[in-house]
Amino acid sequence: MITIAQIALSSSPAPSRAMKEFTRVLEQSALLVEGDTESVSTTEIRTLRYRNQFSRRSICLLAIDSGLGQRMESNYGLPLLAGSADGVARWDKDSDQPVSITPEQPWPGTVIGAAELSIPLKENLDSAYVFLHALPGHEDALAHLWETAQNIFRTEKRSKISSYVDHKFGTDHRAPSSDVSLASTTISDFLISAGFELTQTEICSRLSLPADETVLAPLREAAIAKSGDYRLLSWTGGTPQEYREDMVEMMTAFEMDMPVAGIVEAEANYSVERLIKSEEMMATLGTTSIITAAQHIPTGHLAGYTQLDFEPGKHSVIQEDTLVLKEHRGNRLGYLIKIDNLERLREQAPERTFIQTWNAGENEWMWGINEQMGFRPHTAVGLWQRKI
């Protein structure tokens, strides 16, 4: 017997048994492909993040190899497990605080799989994402998780479903959009059987730290020689007020410029309010963001930016967005801001051992910059999609 349970939203930072089990399953999946768990947030970070439902509704599911008996149910009719150690929380739609907390009951059985559902609330309102995981030998949990996910997506009126899957490089699968080839996994095998198609691939690459200065120096000099009309600005944490409008414009451009394949079209509805809320959430999580931007001196407006994030409890740094606005391209600003941000990182977090980033297989321009800076392919990601 396999029961699918939903983890209730967390009402405190203290992780529950369910959230610890959820993290354990994700770590096992990461070990099989990546060889480490650096891409998996700690249970404490995940518990805090689960409360943030501003731009996306996140739903965490567990597959358990036994029945759970009579329990409080979610809005989707699923048995609820506590998201934090103080119990099962109930929330009003517009409330920032739980309206009631029921002490967590012990529950039997072993967790054999997990899924995270992500439902966009600001754009792509016909779309949703599902991330499926099963422990080795328990792949039968995937069908139960997917059936439950479909029911939730239909309730939420979402018809375009995407699933990102980590892969090793191989020769089993290739998307129409690039030449990056993937090895099969138990997850991709299941998705194919469930009617998904591979529409895009990404390269996950890593840069060992500290970066090789003999590699970076000539790239920096060439970028400085081309960028006389620009100066660099850097900050850690929240965006200074005078640059928020420019950041919103660039974040929107980043989303619209990203290579898109498959059934989900590019949409972006960023605002200053959304930027501020996102930065407040990052601060709550203890995540540090280091941003370097290029400012166009004649106009005073920002022309490009790059962002590095790192969480407590990890060795890694995540290279997030890098963008240069179209009207400012050709001045080697991408090199300039990325290399300068590495220096900011070295000053603030010298203990970090590598940077990890992802590039669409067809984004040869950005991959070319990363490769010249010393990034090397680590694993791959497949975007699998279908309609329901």
Side-chain angles (χ1 to χ4, degrees), residues 238-252:
T239 303
Q241 183 176 355
E242 62 268 31
Y243 302 129
R244 286 173 180 166
E245 292 286 355
D246 282 357
M247 280 299 295
V248 168
E249 178 186 354
M250 292 191 296
M251 291 166 66
T252 299

Side-chain angles (χ1 to χ4, degrees), residues 12 24 79 113 168 188 268 283-284 318 345:
S12 77
R24 181 178 67 87
K168 294 181 179 179
S188 64
T284 299
I318 302 301
L345 174 66

Side-chain angles (χ1 to χ4, degrees), residues 250-260 266-268 270 321 323:
M250 292 191 296
M251 291 166 66
T252 299
F254 176 81
E255 291 294 334
M256 300 306 294
D257 286 356
M258 278 198 308
V260 175
E267 291 184 24
Y270 284 102
D321 309 357
L323 172 99

Side-chain angles (χ1 to χ4, degrees), residues 207-213 215-217 219-220 232 234 290-292 306-308 310 317-319 334-350 352 354-356 369-370 372-375:
L207 172 67
S208 296
L209 296 175
D212 188 343
E213 181 58 28
V215 172
L216 298 181
L219 297 175
R220 182 189 295 109
L232 296 180
S234 296
I290 304 174
I291 292 118
T292 292
T306 190
Q307 179 171 331
L308 294 170
F310 53 93
V317 177
I318 302 301
Q319 170 68 69
Y335 289 95
L336 192 66
I337 56 180
K338 286 171 71 73
I339 292 171
D340 188 80
N341 220 30
L342 287 180
E343 181 63 20
R344 307 284 80 74
L345 174 66
R346 185 190 64 79
E347 293 170 354
Q348 297 185 44
R352 298 284 162 156
F354 68 90
I355 299 174
Q356 183 158 305
I369 292 178
N370 288 340
Q372 289 183 65
M373 290 176 60
F375 282 86

